């Protein structure tokens, strides 16, 4: 376990970690959360990938670790009463360790992800809350330049509009993860920053509840993000991201502003592609101006022409050529700095648009897309690598690099090169897919 004094100079990741998970699973699972937190160690093999579990932390190891952290916290200037009320009462959470080591058995299809999050009920609730908090949200937009529909969309996805913050004691969660040697460095920083928040009096230790990984409040800030971005917007001399809507909205807007939010631009838009579209042009790393996309036959989803502008955009087809297509702009990349998931960023953008009065997707994602077990994704990645298409080290995560490699393989086979793992391409790679989710 690193000594605290060695960790303090480190620049900690200031992204948010959206780990609160409602009983109905409407929020974003931690495996897709935007953070430096990694998944469990995976040993890759083409035919039989093996996930190597790490040994569980013992009660004795935890007690010794807490003694060390208590001494380090005292040296760092944390008050003795806060140390006694927080670390002094910290408990090892076996559940946190289980969740930390847990990976979803199957990858999530875009249709399943999107349809569970951008719902008529959530849109209606977002519009109602906008009406309720309009004056406050207008003032926050004037201060930080982030329009209300986006803040409401983040709020809806992170905690179901404040309906579920997580019910675990943050100090217990962070102390457990900090004492676990697997990722002690990251969580030690977060634990000490949580103690600083307590020491500043923003929240009492028993009220500091959050996700299993320590994300807190209406917008699921990690402690480092809290210290850097939380603001006292209601003027009560506390930064309360649990109970103060003013503090929560303003803090989220300040965070987005710090990430580069452009207040006069949208996140992106749904578009329509022509027949025989060159799908190798898709992907976040491929940028063209709206004028150039227009020349390739791309239109708005309703067939009207795109604006003729030099504004750069990337094209995404998250459910393949039979699903919706999106042109995404700089603010889409800002959303992905909050949570590094294209699915999440599209959901935020679409939810914001619909809260603002826009309609649902004109091209709905197919619901019969194959579901892949993570070991099957690793097999796919290994097969692509063997065939000379660089999917990177097999890790079971179907990310942009894997999609690009798959797209190039599809192109070599004369298939639609959309980077989508449909039944045809899986069969060509010798991978048997699972039935589609309901």
């Amino acid at each position: 376990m690193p000594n605290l004094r060695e960790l303090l100079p480190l620049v900690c990741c200031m992204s948010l970690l959206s780990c609160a998970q409602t009983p109905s699973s409407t929020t974003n699972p931690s495996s897709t959360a935007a953070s430096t937190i990694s998944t469990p160690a995976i040993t890759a093999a083409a035919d039989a990938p093996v996930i190597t579990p790490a040994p569980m932390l013992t009660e004795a190891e935890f007690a010794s670790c807490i003694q060390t952290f208590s001494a380090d916290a005292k040296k760092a200037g944390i008050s003795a009463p806060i140390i006694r009320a927080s670390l002094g009462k910290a408990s090892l959470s076996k559940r946190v360790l289980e969740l930390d080591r847990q990976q979803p058995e199957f990858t999530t299809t875009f249709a399943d992800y999107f349809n569970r999050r951008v719902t008529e009920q959530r849109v209606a609730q977002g519009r109602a809350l906008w009406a309720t908090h309009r004056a406050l949200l207008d003032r926050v937009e004037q201060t930080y330049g982030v329009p209300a529909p986006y803040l409401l969309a983040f709020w809806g996805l992170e905690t179901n509009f404040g309906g579920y913050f997580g019910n675990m004691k943050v100090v217990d969660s962070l102390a457990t993860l900090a004492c676990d040697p697997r990722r002690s460095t990251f969580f030690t920083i977060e634990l000490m920053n949580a103690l600083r928040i307590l020491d500043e009096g923003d929240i009492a230790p028993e009220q500091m509840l959050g996700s299993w990984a320590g994300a807190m409040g209406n917008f699921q800030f990690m402690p480092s993000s809290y210290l850097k971005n939380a603001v006292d917007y209601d003027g009560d001399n506390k930064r309360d991201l649990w109970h103060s809507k003013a503090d929560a909205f303003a803090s989220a807007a300040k965070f987005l502003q710090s990430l580069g939010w452009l207040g006069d631009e949208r996140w992106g838009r749904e578009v329509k592609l022509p027949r025989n579209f060159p799908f190798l042009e898709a992907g976040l790393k491929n940028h063209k101006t709206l004028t150039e996309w227009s020349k390739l036959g791309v239109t708005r989803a309703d067939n009207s022409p795109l604006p003729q502008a030099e504004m750069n955009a990337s094209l995404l087809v998250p459910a393949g050529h039979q699903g919706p297509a999106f042109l995404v702009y700089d603010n889409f990349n800002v959303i992905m700095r909050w949570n590094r998931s294209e699915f999440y960023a599209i959901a935020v953008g679409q939810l914001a648009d619909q809260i603002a009065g826009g309609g649902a997707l004109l091209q709905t994602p197919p619901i019969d897309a194959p579901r892949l077990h993570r070991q099957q994704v690793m097999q796919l990645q290994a097969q692509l690598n063997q065939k000379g298409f660089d999917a990177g080290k097999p890790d079971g995560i179907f990310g942009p690099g894997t999609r690009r490699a798959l797209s190039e393989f599809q192109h070599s086979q004369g298939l639609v090169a959309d980077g989508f793992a449909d039944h045809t391409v899986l069969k060509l790679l010798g991978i048997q897919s699972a039935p589609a989710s309901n």
Side-chain angles (χ1 to χ4, degrees), residues 9 61 87 107 112 126 133 143 146 156 203 205 291 302 304 339 365 420:
E61 290 169 335
L87 287 177
T107 58
D112 185 60
H133 301 293
T143 304
V146 182
I203 192 81
T291 301
D302 63 1
S304 62
N339 182 315
F420 183 67

Side-chain angles (χ1 to χ4, degrees), residues 205-222:
E206 63 274 11
Q207 295 178 333
M208 186 184 263
L209 302 177
S211 77
W212 65 264
M216 308 179 296
N218 277 278
F219 288 89
Q220 293 293 275
F221 275 41
M222 290 297 285

Side-chain angles (χ1 to χ4, degrees), residues 128-138 148 152 155 245 249:
L129 287 167
W130 191 7
T132 300
H133 301 293
R134 186 175 294 274
L136 171 60
L137 287 164
D138 286 349
L152 291 162
W155 190 27
K245 301 291 191 302
F249 291 152

Side-chain angles (χ1 to χ4, degrees), residues 45 95 97 155 278 287 294 315 340 365:
R95 179 58 178 158
L97 293 176
W155 190 27
H287 307 283
S294 292
L315 180 78
R340 292 194 297 265

Side-chain angles (χ1 to χ4, degrees), residues 46 372 374-386 389 391 394 398 402-403 405-406 420-422 425-426 429 431:
L372 295 179
R374 288 189 174 269
Q375 291 187 348
Q376 291 172 312
V377 176
M378 292 176 69
Q379 291 171 354
L380 179 146
Q381 292 166 327
Q383 290 287 342
L384 289 171
N385 287 337
Q386 289 176 6
F389 302 95
F398 206 107
T402 301
R403 283 197 296 275
L406 182 58
F420 183 67
D422 60 16
V425 76
L426 291 173
L429 291 171
I431 298 170

Side-chain angles (χ1 to χ4, degrees), residues 277-280 389 404-419 425:
F277 179 80
F279 281 93
L280 285 176
F389 302 95
R404 183 67 188 178
L406 182 58
S407 177
E408 292 171 352
F409 170 72
Q410 290 169 317
H411 181 71
S412 74
Q413 300 295 308
L415 303 172
V416 176
D418 58 5
V425 76

Side-chain angles (χ1 to χ4, degrees), residues 32 110 113-114 267 283-285 315-318 326 328 332-333 335-336 339-349 398-401 403:
T32 61
F110 178 71
Y113 185 96
F114 186 88
W267 70 278
L284 272 183
K285 292 185 178 180
L315 180 78
L316 299 180
V317 282
F326 304 93
V328 298
F332 183 87
N333 296 317
I335 298 172
M336 286 195 63
N339 182 315
R340 292 194 297 265
S341 162
E342 291 180 8
F343 287 7
Y344 178 89
I346 291 170
V348 167
F398 206 107
R403 283 197 296 275

Side-chain angles (χ1 to χ4, degrees), residues 1 55-69 92 94 97 101 175-176 178-181:
M1 180 184 65
M56 282 289 189
L57 188 69
T58 67
E59 292 284 355
E61 290 169 335
F62 182 76
S64 175
C65 175
I66 289 299
Q67 288 183 345
T68 300
F69 279 144
L92 173 64
K94 298 291 186 181
L97 293 176
R101 286 156 170 75
T176 296
C179 290
D180 185 16

